[in-house]
Amino acid sequence: MQIHNLSDTPSILNTFMSELRDKSAQKDSMRFRRNIERIGEIIGYELSKSLQFNATTIETPLGNSQTVLHEKDIVLCSILRAGVPLHNGLLNYFDAAENAFISAYRQHKDNPESFEIVVEYLACPSLEGKTLILADPMLATGQSMVATYEALKPFGTPKEIHLISVIGAQEGVDYVSKVFGPNVKLWIAAIDEKLNEKGYIVPGLGDAGDLAFGNKLQQ
Ligand code: URA
């Protein structure tokens, strides 16, 4: 797997990332959602440079302009619910993309420190020969990303796969690296040190779904 860690080069992304992590700034859930969306836009722009481009002629009112435009067969797939703001950011740029949504959540059994990933809802177009962009803002253990990828297999074989994440734990990045082949690209805004005993990324930012959409009752 090819890893593109956008925080390797300091940029305006750092401002959005620090607001996402800052527990005082996190009180503003609209800003939290918008910052994830902005990061989706930035990652979308960076990822776009690796797409296939085709020569095109555009007719202006005064003549012809030669350019290259990226391939259009893109499917954006996000994991509900925390993936929604990241999905919106990617869709702001890849506005002609098709969309897939999947619900994958952690189901805690008797032991609060262990969980399994449960996939339920899935809506997906054909993926055959297309570019699949799979977005999960928090790449903690990597299990949700892998469970999603497995659930998408019956929908066809994509031409290429890009994984998008805002923050990953090194452990999760290592896990997905083992599962996905050398042609798959991971675009990520930061890779943090570790997971805690509950599977949260440290230092991370907390629970991205709750911060974006409010607390939920545990199932
Ligand atoms: N999901 C989150 O929202 N935060 C984490 O730290 C890990 C998974």
Side-chain angles (χ1 to χ4, degrees), residues 4-15 42 46 188-189:
H4 300 268
N5 183 351
L6 274 61
S7 60
D8 284 347
T9 308
S11 73
I12 193 168
L13 182 82
N14 293 19
T15 307
I42 290 173
E46 290 298 326
I188 193 161

Side-chain angles (χ1 to χ4, degrees), residues 16-27 32 204-205:
F16 307 147
M17 288 296 287
S18 15
E19 286 184 2
L20 279 184
R21 291 181 190 273
D22 183 327
K23 63 183 189 182
S24 165
Q26 286 179 348
K27 289 180 190 135
F32 186 85
L205 51 72

Side-chain angles (χ1 to χ4, degrees), residues 106 138 140 199-201 206-209:
R106 295 174 170 188
M138 305 300 284
Y200 280 90
I201 300 170
D207 189 306

Side-chain angles (χ1 to χ4, degrees), residues 22 33 51 79 116 133-134 136 173 215 219:
D22 183 327
R33 289 192 300 274
L51 295 175
I79 305 176
E116 63 181 66
I133 300 180
L134 189 51
D136 184 5
V173 173
N215 294 337
Q219 291 177 312

Side-chain angles (χ1 to χ4, degrees), residues 106-109 111 113-117 141 143 198-199:
R106 295 174 170 188
Q107 189 170 67
H108 293 268
K109 298 276 166 157
N111 176 2
E113 292 183 10
S114 76
F115 56 84
E116 63 181 66
I117 305 292
T141 62
Q143 288 178 45
K198 291 190 172 156

